[in-house]
Amino acid sequence: MKVLTTISEVRSACAAARASGKRVGFVPTMGALHEGHLSLVRTARSESDFIVASIFVNPTQFGPNEDLAKYPRPFERDRELLEIEKVDLLFAPTVEEMYPPGATTFVHVEGMSEKLCGKSRPGHFRGVTTIVSKLFNIVDPDRAYFGQKDAAQAGIIKKMVRDLAYRTQVVVCPIVREPDGLAMSSRNVYLNAEEWKQALALSRALQGVRSAFDNGERGPSILRSAAETVFAGIPQVKLEYVEIVNPDTLDPVCDLSEGALVAVAAKIGGTRLIDNIVLPATK
Ligand code: PAF
């Protein structure tokens, strides 16, 4: 696996791969890799010929009081994991390489970026779409792989790809869970044993929604309260939102017949976690 740090080197390596007829698959990450990331790499490997991964803790997607400084950066371990997964190229740029002094251009998907996590994290999705757009310009992948855990991010990136006519196909891969149901996240390392147990409220709340749905409940507010009840019993977990939305627009839905995304965000101590399920169409 080649490890490159400059835009020009990555551009040349990806152009050479494409020129030799290879399909380029791209997995952008912020490192602190877990099985969720590795499942993206494995899917990319099964569908593409030249696999590029990036590790870049993107400062523009963190708010001023968020965890940018303490975000885990186990680079050597991440590098080894990607090597084992037979990634061809790892792009690990510096902040200066990605944001040269004076950079003032942002990509903002209006409307969607202010919804779900965008409400409490202003500027977060603008940071995500700016860096993903820039990485797409550098790697120019045939396919790029994102996790369903960040369902709003995936929907917003799909919209950006459509609106800006990127040729890249966005592939969204299933959530990978711990055996106890907690959705894998790089931020799970912040949880102590007690907080980990409390964090199971997120997946349990979503299971509650799913059982109510399977029992025939179709009212969004009743389904939401099935989740809220779980949080009400665990005051240490601060529920931020439970929303039932259209996954393509992130707008709340009243009619579940075409399926819906049920998304939840909550804080356990200082750690903010998200999770979601998709309710199937019933038409
Ligand atoms: O999902 C992430 O890890 C990040 O938001 C991404 C897509 C790599 C952009 O920094």
Side-chain angles (χ1 to χ4, degrees), residues 88-235:
D88 297 287
L89 192 170
L90 167 59
F91 181 33
T94 60
V95 172
E96 295 69 35
E97 182 73 3
M98 294 309 281
Y99 294 107
T104 55
T105 305
F106 292 89
V107 176
H108 179 208
V109 177
E110 271 182 29
M112 287 178 84
S113 298
E114 291 69 35
K115 292 175 181 154
L116 298 182
C117 298
K119 277 186 204 157
S120 65
R121 303 186 72 192
H124 167 68
F125 287 125
R126 184 181 85 148
V128 170
T129 41
T130 299
I131 199 66
V132 170
S133 151
K134 191 151 185 173
L135 289 166
F136 280 9
N137 285 333
I138 297 162
V139 175
D140 189 14
D142 294 277
R143 290 181 180 182
Y145 298 83
F146 296 88
Q148 169 67 19
K149 195 193 57 93
D150 299 299
Q153 166 174 287
I156 291 169
I157 290 170
K158 278 188 187 164
K159 177 82 162 50
M160 177 190 85
V161 161
R162 205 192 65 186
D163 289 356
L164 297 184
Y166 277 98
R167 69 177 194 94
T168 302
Q169 186 191 332
V170 171
V171 181
V172 182
C173 302
I175 297 179
V176 179
R177 295 183 181 278
E178 299 287 351
D180 58 14
L182 186 66
M184 287 198 186
S185 161
S186 302
R187 290 188 166 98
N188 290 352
V189 296
Y190 300 149
L191 303 170
N192 63 33
E194 194 48 38
E195 290 170 335
W196 184 291
K197 277 191 221 145
Q198 294 163 357
L200 296 177
L202 281 86
S203 51
R204 278 218 314 276
L206 292 167
Q207 278 163 20
V209 174
R210 181 68 211 223
S211 347
F213 179 83
D214 288 344
N215 289 332
E217 183 53 60
R218 294 292 179 269
S221 59
I222 296 178
L223 289 170
R224 267 205 320 276
S225 40
E228 284 159 1
T229 310
V230 172
F231 288 98
I234 314 169

Side-chain angles (χ1 to χ4, degrees), residues 8-40:
S8 61
E9 290 170 307
V10 173
R11 215 172 237 147
S12 313
C14 294
R18 271 191 309 280
S20 67
K22 291 183 172 159
R23 291 164 305 179
V24 175
F26 179 41
V27 182
T29 81
M30 298 207 301
L33 303 179
H34 49 68
E35 276 300 312
H37 296 109
L38 301 182
S39 76
L40 303 182

Side-chain angles (χ1 to χ4, degrees), residues 28-106:
T29 81
M30 298 207 301
L33 303 179
H34 49 68
E35 276 300 312
H37 296 109
L38 301 182
S39 76
L40 303 182
V41 173
R42 288 173 198 140
T43 308
R45 181 83 274 163
S46 71
E47 297 180 350
S48 303
D49 312 300
F50 186 76
I51 309 306
V52 181
S54 62
I55 295 181
F56 180 65
V57 182
N58 172 35
T60 64
Q61 68 187 78
F62 289 79
N65 300 316
E66 293 183 357
D67 56 343
L68 174 62
K70 76 162 187 177
Y71 198 83
R73 291 166 170 84
F75 184 77
E76 250 330 285
R77 183 182 157 275
D78 288 347
R79 196 191 58 70
E80 280 168 24
L81 289 171
L82 294 173
E83 185 109 52
I84 292 167
E85 295 301 331
K86 300 197 178 8
V87 164
D88 297 287
L89 192 170
L90 167 59
F91 181 33
T94 60
V95 172
E96 295 69 35
E97 182 73 3
M98 294 309 281
Y99 294 107
T104 55
T105 305
F106 292 89

